[in-house]
Amino acid sequence: MAAISPKKGSLASILRSYKSAVTKEARKIDPNFKWQERFHDHIIRNDPEYHRIANYIENNPLKWGKDKFNE
């Protein structure tokens, strides 16, 4: 089954184009470049969501030692 492409000019389309361009340039430096697994893009839509995500970014590294995927 073929994937459905995002509508031209939509944020999803812009992000797809950006990540494609970054991948192309990054692979010139490191042919093994790949995007982080278990990662998804997210649009921050309001102030409380921004603060929740900022708090996660600031405090998440403290938990890395307990992360089963951290090798």
Side-chain angles (χ1 to χ4, degrees), residues 19-70:
K19 288 177 81 171
S20 176
V22 168
T23 299
K24 182 178 178 181
E25 293 302 312
R27 287 190 175 153
K28 290 178 184 177
I29 298 166
D30 178 0
N32 297 314
F33 172 83
K34 63 181 181 177
W35 289 97
Q36 178 180 347
E37 295 178 21
R38 302 179 336 271
F39 171 81
H40 66 277
D41 300 313
H42 181 79
I43 300 168
I44 298 172
R45 300 186 186 278
N46 56 43
D47 199 48
E49 190 173 15
Y50 167 80
H51 289 292
R52 179 183 60 79
I53 292 169
N55 184 56
Y56 171 82
I57 291 169
E58 186 174 330
N59 292 305
N60 189 44
L62 302 174
K63 301 176 185 177
W64 288 355
K66 301 174 189 172
D67 186 349
K68 68 180 181 179
F69 297 106
N70 186 18

